[in-house]
Amino acid sequence: MSPAEPPHARAPVPDRLSRGAPRAVLAALPGARAVGGCVRDALAGRPIADVDIGVPLPPDAVAPLLRAAGLRVFDTGLAHGTLTAVLDREPVEVTSLRRDVATDGRHAVVEWTTDWREDAARRDFTINAMSLDADGGLWDWFGGRADLAAGRVRFVGEPEVRLAEDYLRALRFFRFQARYGRGEPDAGALRAIAAAVPHMARLSAERVWSECKRILATEGAAGAVRLMQRTGVLAAVLPAVAPARLPGLAAAVDTGMPAEPILRLAALLPPDPALAERLAEALRLSNEERGMLRLLLAGEAPAPAPSDGWLRRWLAGLPDTAAALAAAWLAQARDGQDRTELRRRLASLARPVFPLQGRDVLALGVPPGPAVGRLLQAVRDWWLAGGCVAGTKDCMDELERRMKLGE
């Protein structure tokens, strides 16, 4: 197909393409078009997160044109034909049209092309294979617009071929099905994904978790996980998940559980602190993710209506109120008991902070050593037992009393 092929249809030009960096990039590069997710979301009436631009020029011809138009240019993937153009701190990813020369299920060797259809044919799903120019010309070789309107997620071409090019596309299918799909998923896609499960072990843990996070953050997370179980993908990538916990997750999501991937993952796992460490290693979780998963799997599950004293003691042992709210959601997902009132109470409570430190003990003449820690812990236990309401003066009085008793 020639780059001069006329548009297949017209579509409204989203505001994001009519201003700022996207507009400047489209104006600077002859024949450039918006591609992929930003076109899909514009047609779906959804907010556009990132703008990606395709261009029928090789990368070495793209950068000079962008710089001449006043944009800063950064090499963010030159081997794959990708540059990032920045104007007024707004980044736009610009990629030369490509054809695959060879693939191994994880990576592709590419070369540049001027054929838009050829570039679109290497994309994963029809809804991601459309392109839109600055004047509203829409190119849609594979029926992506109709699929988007009907809630169909279909691979471009044969599902087996698309998956063999990159097996991560199996997980991407579940994410897009959860976000855009309606009704029964494409049967051919599910068969191909089930057949591809043995190959998923070749994917890196980082790529798997990156995609699983996005799946768990969707409104249709529970349905996506069910589909993953149905095809055998769940056991391949998240074997620790207990499918019996899916109804609890679904109910919690329906009632407003935050789209926090670690929280939703914890809702699918048994309360086993050791499991948190094993998963953190297997999925290469960040330190922050590891800490939150450890906290959720090891923490207490609060009852729907504990006393204020219990809540203060519990909050005092957590890093922040957000962790308490997450634990409340997790408890609701596990036992099905509504905790709306509990979350309201938690949000209104200030997290208690024990008012003494080691220097307060040293200031009273206690020499450095184990005795400092023992005294401090004894007073903290007294403070906790009293509901965490004692202030600095009362805690100092208790410290002095214990010192006099020789504790």
Side-chain angles (χ1 to χ4, degrees):
M1 294 280 180
S2 163
E5 178 188 15
H8 302 155
R10 310 297 299 180
V13 179
D15 181 61
R16 283 290 303 278
L17 298 186
S18 303
R19 57 178 172 80
R23 178 182 178 182
V25 170
L26 289 169
L29 301 175
R33 303 175 194 165
V35 295
C38 63
V39 179
R40 177 198 66 224
D41 287 341
L43 293 175
R46 293 174 177 261
I48 295 173
D50 301 311
V51 173
D52 296 324
I53 301 293
V55 59
L57 297 169
D60 58 359
V62 173
L65 291 172
L66 291 172
R67 292 192 178 100
L71 291 103
R72 300 173 66 197
V73 180
F74 299 90
D75 171 6
T76 50
L78 196 56
H80 298 284
T82 300
L83 301 168
T84 297
V86 180
L87 180 68
D88 296 332
R89 299 185 180 181
E90 182 182 13
V92 173
E93 196 167 89
V94 182
T95 302
S96 297
L97 302 189
R98 298 170 288 185
R99 66 164 65 96
D100 288 335
V101 177
T103 60
D104 64 1
R106 291 187 299 173
H107 309 290
V109 178
V110 300
E111 61 183 27
W112 321 129
T113 180
T114 59
D115 189 329
W116 280 94
R117 190 185 192 284
E118 189 174 30
D119 182 86
R122 67 185 297 279
R123 295 181 179 269
D124 48 12
F125 307 109
T126 62
I127 61 175
N128 295 335
M130 297 177 281
S131 57
L132 182 72
D133 68 18
D135 298 319
L138 178 71
W139 285 262
D140 178 15
W141 292 273
F142 307 106
R145 190 178 201 176
D147 284 342
L148 189 64
R152 290 188 298 263
V153 180
R154 290 191 303 120
F155 282 97
V156 173
E158 295 298 323
E160 296 82 1
V161 175
R162 295 280 81 79
L163 287 165
E165 291 167 349
D166 186 352
Y167 289 108
L168 191 72
R169 286 173 172 170
L171 292 176
R172 286 173 60 81
F173 175 86
F174 299 117
R175 170 159 62 95
F176 286 111
Q177 180 65 32
R179 187 168 170 83
Y180 300 96
R182 297 193 302 277
E184 187 64 21
D186 182 72
L190 294 184
R191 285 194 298 271
I193 288 170
V197 166
H199 300 283
M200 297 193 69
R202 300 167 62 186
L203 297 172
S204 70
E206 291 84 356
R207 295 184 78 205
V208 167
W209 175 235
S210 175
E211 203 57 47
C212 285
K213 279 197 295 189
R214 296 180 180 185
I215 293 170
L216 290 168
T218 65
E219 290 182 7
V225 176
R226 282 195 187 93
L227 274 181
M228 291 168 68
Q229 180 192 10
R230 177 173 153 189
T231 54
V233 170
L234 184 63
V237 299
L238 291 175
V241 163
R245 297 183 180 274
L246 270 167
L249 173 64
V253 170
D254 286 345
T255 53
M257 175 186 263
E260 168 50 55
I262 287 292
L263 169 59
R264 293 183 173 186
L265 175 62
L268 293 168
L269 300 172
D272 178 1
L275 178 59
E277 300 304 323
R278 294 198 299 273
L279 266 180
E281 291 299 321
L283 297 174
R284 305 289 194 270
L285 301 186
S286 68
N287 289 337
E288 182 180 356
E289 291 169 337
R290 179 193 295 259
M292 178 55 73
L293 187 61
R294 183 192 300 123
L295 181 71
L296 289 171
L297 294 188
E300 298 176 81
S307 67
D308 282 353
W310 190 97
L311 280 182
R312 284 192 294 270
R313 285 191 291 273
W314 183 53
L315 275 170
L318 296 174
D320 50 39
T321 302
L325 292 169
W329 274 112
L330 177 59
Q332 179 172 323
R334 285 177 173 166
D335 64 22
Q337 297 185 66
D338 181 73
R339 285 174 170 78
T340 302
E341 177 61 19
L342 173 61
R343 292 191 296 273
R344 185 197 65 76
R345 289 171 61 197
L346 285 170
S348 68
L349 281 175
R351 176 178 169 271
V353 178
F354 181 54
L356 301 189
Q357 298 183 40
R359 63 172 176 263
D360 298 306
V361 183
L362 295 171
L364 294 178
V366 177
V372 174
R374 284 197 301 269
L375 276 168
L376 204 60
Q377 187 60 53
V379 177
R380 190 176 190 277
D381 290 343
W382 169 85
W383 174 76
L384 287 168
C388 310
V389 295
T392 303
K393 182 180 184 306
D394 290 335
C395 287
M396 287 297 296
D397 290 344
E398 178 64 15
L399 174 62
E400 292 180 3
R401 185 185 73 81
R402 289 175 178 270
M403 288 176 61
K404 289 175 182 177
L405 292 174
E407 294 186 7

